Amino acid sequence: MDLAFASPLYISTGRRRAVDKIKPCGSFLLSNKKAFTLSPRSATLASQPTQAIEFEVENKKHDLLRAIQDTQRGLVTTADQRSSIEEALVTVEGYNRGAPIDLEKLDGTWRLQYTSAPDVLVLLEAAARLPFFQVGQIFQKFECRDQSRGGIIRNVVQWSIPTLLEEQEGATLLVSAKFDLVSIRNVYLQFEEITFQNLKISEEVQALIASAILPRSFISLQILQFLRTFKAQIPVTNPDPGRRSVGGLYYLSYLDSNMLLGRAVGSGGVFVFTRAQPFIC
């Protein structure tokens, strides 16, 4: 039975879209005699010293990062590149297969390095085509320390309008959701709120407000302070009162101390993240 998962970064529009198919990854098979047989990769790993396995995993992770490094986070790829990336990604996933998600390890901030999800690529495409729009760093922040069954996930997109806002990080879009573990590798996301915040106006606009349009006064300072602290929050609700809010499933296919891989369905796509410095929302 194939598994299908919804995009964790952006809320589904409800329209039928392309679906990524993820074949079952059975690492252990139980026989009628209640004995289990290791898959070829698992059997190989079991026979290797721990240090040798760790060295091999790190090499495969570097292979994956090299495969995606010239793709502009997935915006510019050829068919051959996508094939190589998928092969490298599946190889890394194989080392973590069957292990339950460690929420302590998952907790923290992860920076997006690559995706094939259309809902994310559309933002990158817009930034590439429109001179008045920039997309900076994209993060996924998990808040699940000391939790056993789930937590909060915040999808963070830094964006800007050149000359009006600071380069790359002029404003922040947050898409917040609760998540629950529904199996050892699958989490269900229930979206709650979209927030626009952290407006950082450019020095040119600050100078314009403070001196050219208004004299430096209490009013001009109040305007600047209002812009810096501006926050717009939009709750996410399901139009059908009999159903819970918009959500989807997210398959966490690999996790260690510095890399997170995920697969999504609904909007589709794969995600490659690396550990980042803590992001304060």
Side-chain angles (χ1 to χ4, degrees), residues 15-40:
R15 293 175 298 187
R16 189 163 184 170
R17 306 182 69 169
V19 174
D20 281 353
K21 297 293 184 178
I22 305 170
K23 295 185 178 180
C25 47
S27 55
F28 297 94
L29 298 176
L30 192 62
S31 72
N32 292 332
K33 294 182 180 180
K34 297 186 177 180
F36 59 84
T37 303
L38 291 173
S39 66

Side-chain angles (χ1 to χ4, degrees), residues 103 143-152 179-181 187:
L103 292 182
E143 300 172 9
C144 50
R145 188 176 297 276
D146 301 322
Q147 301 296 316
S148 61
R149 296 300 305 168
I152 301 294
F179 76 90
D180 297 299
L181 283 173
V187 297

Side-chain angles (χ1 to χ4, degrees), residues 152-202:
I152 301 294
I153 179 173
R154 303 187 193 280
N155 299 301
V156 183
V157 180
Q158 295 180 322
W159 59 280
S160 184
I161 300 174
T163 70
L164 293 180
L165 302 173
E166 288 185 5
E167 293 285 320
Q168 302 293 328
E169 302 178 0
T172 301
L173 168 69
L174 288 177
V175 180
S176 301
K178 288 182 179 179
F179 76 90
D180 297 299
L181 283 173
V182 295
S183 72
I184 62 172
R185 283 278 159 183
N186 299 336
V187 297
Y188 181 80
L189 308 180
Q190 188 169 338
F191 295 101
E192 295 188 316
E193 188 175 71
I194 299 173
T195 304
F196 296 90
Q197 64 180 44
N198 296 342
L199 283 181
K200 300 175 184 177
I201 59 176
S202 66

Side-chain angles (χ1 to χ4, degrees), residues 36 57 72 74 85 115 119 136 144 152 209 262:
F36 59 84
V57 172
Q72 299 180 36
I85 290 167
T115 186
D119 288 339
C144 50
I152 301 294
I209 293 174

